[in-house]
Every structure is written in structure tokens, then in C-alpha cells.
Amino acid sequence: MSTIELKVPDIGDAKDVDVIEVFVKPGDVIKKDDSLITLETDKASMEVPAEVGGTVKEVRLKVGDKASEGTVVVVIEAGASATAPAPAAAPAPQAAAPTPAPAAAPAPAAAGGTIEVKVPDIGDAKNVDVIEVFVKAGDTVKQDDSLITLETDKASMEVPSPAAGVVQSVAIKVGDKASEGTLILTLAAAGAAPVAAAPSPAPAAAAPAPAPAAAASAAVAAPAAVAKVDEASFSKAHGSPSVRKFARELGVDLGKVKGSGPKGRIVASDVQAFVKSVMTGATASPAAAAGGSGVGLDLLPWPKVDFAKFGPIETKPLSRIKKISGANLHRNWVMIPHVTFNEDADITELEDFRKQISKEWEKSGLKLSPLAFIIKAAAEALKAFPEFNASLDGDNLVLKQYYHIGFAADTPNGLVVPVIKDADQKGLKQIAKELTDLSALARDGKLKPTDMQGATFTISSLGGIGGSGFTPIINAPEVAILGVCKSQIKPVWNGSEFTPRLMCPLSLSFDHRVIDGAAAARFTVHLAKLMADIRRLVL
């Protein structure tokens, strides 16, 4: 018998991914490819399978922990025939998450059941800022209750209590510096001698502190009044790690935000209201801070309604993908000046050709959708109009020499955006195959982070549903996005009579800081010409 550590395999660039399910416990007998845990990011979910079979001796992760490539999931005792695991193929991951939670240092028991609770292993970080203290002498705490929050320039983390008991004294305060081994408090443990500290919750993902010039990497320049962050003021503000991350992404100085939560704690809606107030030249009122909608120039509070008074209701939580992508969509809508241009493309000949080719490819099982043609045409249009294949970086425009087209895929958990890489270099058959494969992975929650990275332009197609136009939200740091609705037969004047033509509605949203209306019209008309006569795609 041999003992083997089964670890998280290669999951691309994703770090600190959330553990949302654990399927095994010590003593379980597992087979090769049995699911051990499920990881979830803001873009996808994935199950990590066992690389060999055996008996589970120890489970190193629990729901709520964070994991990255190489994090030990379980320790198993493999059978005689089992071999050490080969590097695992990357399961279908999700979005990036925070680093594995550092384990809290064991809390040595002193006489009379008193524990000295100290800062656990926090990697190489030294003299980390203490930004929150949640307890005081006399408080009763349970095991895993948060004691303090530490913050560096890259991440925040809460340190949990290693045992239940009563706080005797607190040795640290907000504004202090702490390192591994720094005494936090003494605790009179409840009952018998305490167990070793459980792993601390993973540091909340905190975006790298943006330069004062606001989110250049995301091409979402924050207003000057928002972008200048006073780090001393920021560190003293009363907000959770997730709120701090949100504020960092927007370049908001939390020290200037009025909190509407308990004891003045700043919540996400307060940050949103503050950004809106700066953009409209207003000052966020207490009512606005309490609201969170950011709707309207007067920043009225979000209405609180007891819906059950009017009839039966059901409360259903948003999926994690929708919650996290919602924050990104809100940021993009607020920070990017959107304008939408609409045009119809005559795809009568394109559709005839598509049906002909689909019959020829039918035996191979490959489906050729109109989206494959639109992706190919978009790549060619981007070559003719390079400013649409760019990103805003402060006062500079980054013009990309590659053409990676993202497409919005509808899944049970929300929208994700897989990417067709180098679409300009691929034929329709290869694009159609990648569309089919990526769409299937998206529906099954098995997309890798690398499958959703690097897009230079995005297409959101509602062609299979309906509609005649809409305003898609730009996917920062891109500067434009194309919306496509269901094609319809319409009468079109050919110079002598009206003839029935199949018309495809196109809706181009563009960043008006980079692209003006005339350029958007020329781009969309050019794209429509390419779709009307697909022979132009080979010129």
C-alpha cells in the first residue's frame, strides 16, 4: 500500500478558486475518475476527479476554501496496483479565484484552557495592516468565527478563531502591523483542550491595486475624483474584503464613502452610489448610500417592498456566475460611454450557401450555424477598422495584431464568453467545429479559463430566439461588441421592385471615448457587406 496526495491539476491561469462541493470523506473507497470536489470561479465550474483509486485517509479541503493548481485535495492509500498519478488534464475550470487559504498556526493551550491565538502562516507577507478587529474582551466566539482582517496591497484575509470560548484580552487593534506568529488575543477555551486551528478562510480576491490612472488594464478609466486613492484612508475604512476588492477595481477611495451597513460598515451598494455620484457631479446622500441602485441622477434609494403582501413569492439566490458577472456588467455600463448603431445585413445568399454546405457536412455531424459566418466576417472587418480591435490604456490606444472573437454562450448558470482564437486565420469549417465544442463545454460547465481569455471583440447572438435589436454591454477592456438578432424576411427595393430578402439585424455598441459615430456606421455597414456577399471574405 502507498500513500498518495491527489492535487488540483492544471487549471490554466486561475488562482484561489472557490471550493463549492466536497464529495468524499475519510474512509471512503474511491475509484479512478470519481469526483472529489467541485471548483467554481465567476465564469465556470469544474469537478476534480481522482487520478487513482484507493481509500481516503485525509481530506485537506472543505467547502468555502480556496484552491489553486497543486493544492492537495485528499490523501489516499492506494491499492498495490495503483500508480502515482500522472499530471492530470485540466478539468473544466472557472474563473480565477483567490490563493489557497493559509492554515492557522496551531494554538498552544496554556494552563486552565487558555489559548494564545496568533496570526497563522500568511506566506511571505510581513507587517501586514490590521484593518478590522471583530471582537473585544468578554465576547463569546465559536470556532471559525472571524477575529480580525489583514490586508496587503494585493489581498485581504480574515483570521478565524481556532476554537470556541470567551475572549480574555485582545492584543491587537486597527492600524497595527502583524506578521506570522503575532499574538491576536487570549481565549478561554470552552470544554476540553482545543483542537489545532482549522484552515483560515482564503484571502478574498483583491484586485491588484490600480495605478491612480484608474483601471488602465481594464480600459475603464475611472473619473479623476474616484481614481485617486489615499491608501491610509482606504485601510482604515470599515468594509469587507469583497467590498475592498470591488472598490479597488473601480479605483474608489473607501475613506470617502459613507457606509450604510451595521455600525457604519461600507457595503457594495455604497461604493456603487459613490461612483454614480462622482460621475453625475453629485454628492452621495445617505439615502443614496442606503439604496444601491444608482438609478437616476437624484440617486433615490432602492425601494424596499414586502412582495409577499401582494401574493405568493419564491426567493431564489442568483448563481455565483450571475452575481460576479453582474458587478462587472455594472462597472462596464457605468464607466464606459455606450452608443449603439443598428444596421440590417442581407444574408439571403449566405443562408442559401449555409444550407447547401450543412447538407454536405451532415454525415460528419458538423453543424454550420450563421454565427460561424458572422465570426469570420467580424475578423475581416476588424482588420479593415483596427481601432475596433483595440483597448484603451490611459491616454494610449493598444492596437492588437491578433483577432480573437468571443461569443456569448447561454448556460443554466448564466452567460459565459468562450473565445475563438485567431479567427482570421481559420476557415468556416474549423470555426464551426470550435463553436460546437466550446458551446458544449460551456453548457456542461467544463470551460477552462484559457477558453475564455484574450478576446479582442465579442458577439452576442440572440438569433435563435428573436428580437429586432438591443444594446449589448461592452466587455471591458474591449471597445466594441456586436449584438445579433433573429433574421426576418423583409421586402427590399432593388431599384425596380420590392423583393423578399432575409435580413439580419446587427446592433453595434461602441466606446464613444475611442470610436465616433461615423466610424461605427462605416464598420457596421462594411460588416453587413461582407455578410451579404461572402465571396468578399476570400479577397
Side-chain angles (χ1 to χ4, degrees):
M1 296 293 222
S2 60
T3 299
I4 299 175
E5 292 182 339
L6 300 186
K7 302 178 180 180
V8 174
D10 176 13
I11 53 176
D13 296 331
K15 305 291 183 185
D16 304 324
V17 180
D18 289 310
V19 178
I20 63 169
E21 292 179 295
V22 177
F23 300 110
V24 295
K25 61 183 183 301
D28 285 354
V29 177
I30 59 174
K31 302 188 297 295
K32 185 178 184 294
D33 294 329
D34 279 356
S35 293
L36 302 176
I37 60 172
T38 300
L39 302 176
E40 183 180 64
T41 69
D42 61 338
K43 293 184 178 176
S45 298
M46 65 171 281
E47 292 184 3
V48 175
E51 298 153 22
V52 295
T55 302
V56 178
K57 307 301 290 181
E58 183 183 355
V59 180
R60 295 280 181 87
L61 293 174
K62 64 180 185 300
V63 173
D65 281 351
K66 306 288 187 178
S68 303
E69 179 183 349
T71 300
V72 176
V73 180
V74 297
V75 178
I76 69 167
E77 190 172 83
S81 60
T83 57
Q94 314 118 62
T99 53
T114 300
I115 303 171
E116 289 188 341
V117 180
K118 300 180 179 180
V119 174
D121 177 10
I122 52 175
D124 296 332
K126 305 291 183 185
N127 298 321
V128 178
D129 289 314
V130 178
I131 62 170
E132 292 176 297
V133 177
F134 299 110
V135 295
K136 61 183 183 301
D139 283 355
T140 299
V141 298
K142 300 189 295 292
Q143 185 172 343
D144 294 330
D145 277 359
S146 294
L147 302 177
I148 62 172
T149 300
L150 303 177
E151 183 180 63
T152 69
D153 59 345
K154 294 183 178 179
S156 298
M157 66 170 286
E158 294 184 3
V159 177
S161 176
V166 177
V167 177
Q168 292 187 320
S169 63
V170 179
I172 209 164
K173 65 183 184 299
V174 173
D176 284 353
K177 302 287 187 180
S179 303
E180 179 182 349
T182 299
L183 178 65
I184 299 173
L185 54 79
T186 56
L187 184 71
V195 296
S200 68
S217 62
V220 185
V226 176
K228 294 181 179 179
V229 174
D230 181 338
E231 291 298 333
S233 174
F234 191 102
S235 66
K236 293 178 181 179
H238 190 38
S240 69
S242 61
V243 169
R244 292 174 177 278
K245 173 182 178 292
F246 185 41
R248 291 278 189 197
E249 289 176 346
L250 297 181
V252 171
D253 185 351
L254 283 185
K256 298 178 181 177
V257 179
K258 181 177 178 61
S260 64
K263 299 182 180 179
R265 190 180 185 88
I266 299 169
V267 296
S269 60
D270 300 327
V271 178
Q272 293 171 347
F274 180 82
V275 172
K276 193 73 174 181
S277 70
V278 172
M279 294 190 69
T280 59
T283 301
S285 65
S293 70
V295 176
L297 297 181
D298 53 355
L299 298 176
L300 292 174
W302 193 253
K304 300 293 183 182
V305 179
D306 181 6
F307 300 105
K309 291 194 305 183
F310 307 105
I313 65 171
E314 178 186 0
T315 300
K316 183 179 179 182
L318 287 173
S319 70
R320 179 173 173 80
I321 289 177
K322 287 185 178 179
K323 285 190 287 188
I324 296 178
S325 63
N328 291 330
L329 290 169
H330 182 272
R331 176 200 63 192
N332 295 347
W333 182 252
V334 169
M335 307 300 286
I336 300 174
H338 283 65
V339 180
T340 302
F341 178 83
N342 298 296
E343 176 67 288
D344 285 344
D346 185 341
I347 61 167
T348 309
E349 276 75 29
L350 183 155
E351 182 62 9
D352 291 341
F353 179 71
R354 186 190 71 81
K355 289 179 178 178
Q356 175 188 337
I357 296 300
S358 291
K359 287 182 180 179
E360 295 177 11
W361 291 355
E362 192 172 12
K363 291 183 180 179
S364 67
L366 186 60
K367 182 180 178 182
L368 180 60
S369 71
L371 183 56
F373 289 90
I374 299 172
I375 288 174
K376 183 64 177 177
E380 295 304 316
L382 291 171
K383 284 186 174 181
F385 295 84
E387 68 269 28
F388 287 78
N389 198 56
S391 288
L392 193 60
D393 184 2
D395 293 331
N396 298 317
L397 195 62
V398 180
L399 299 168
K400 299 157 193 171
Q401 307 301 316
Y402 53 89
Y403 303 89
H404 300 344
I405 311 297
F407 65 96
D410 191 17
T411 76
N413 292 320
L415 288 176
V416 293
V417 184
V419 180
I420 303 290
K421 306 288 177 62
D422 297 315
D424 62 313
Q425 301 175 25
K426 295 173 180 176
L428 284 170
K429 192 167 189 176
Q430 187 174 356
I431 291 174
K433 184 177 186 311
E434 290 188 25
L435 269 174
T436 301
D437 293 344
L438 289 170
S439 296
L441 290 173
R443 287 190 298 271
D444 296 338
K446 294 183 177 180
L447 285 171
K448 302 174 185 176
T450 51
D451 294 331
M452 298 178 283
Q453 294 173 348
T456 60
F457 184 82
T458 297
I459 298 172
S460 179
S461 176
L462 304 178
I465 302 173
S468 58
F470 66 105
T471 298
I473 298 177
I474 297 167
N475 187 22
E478 298 160 34
V479 296
I481 181 171
L482 180 70
V484 182
C485 287
K486 186 175 182 177
S487 300
Q488 298 179 16
I489 297 291
K490 294 183 178 181
V492 178
W493 183 255
N494 64 9
S496 58
E497 61 182 350
F498 284 101
T499 57
R501 306 295 292 178
L502 184 62
M503 307 301 290
C504 177
L506 306 177
S507 300
L508 179 80
S509 288
F510 55 95
D511 186 338
H512 212 345
R513 298 171 300 178
V514 177
I515 299 164
D516 59 33
R522 293 187 186 99
F523 174 87
T524 314
V525 169
H526 181 71
L527 175 62
K529 286 182 178 178
L530 292 175
M531 293 170 61
D533 186 355
I534 56 175
R535 293 173 301 179
R536 295 175 182 273
L537 295 178
V538 300
L539 294 178

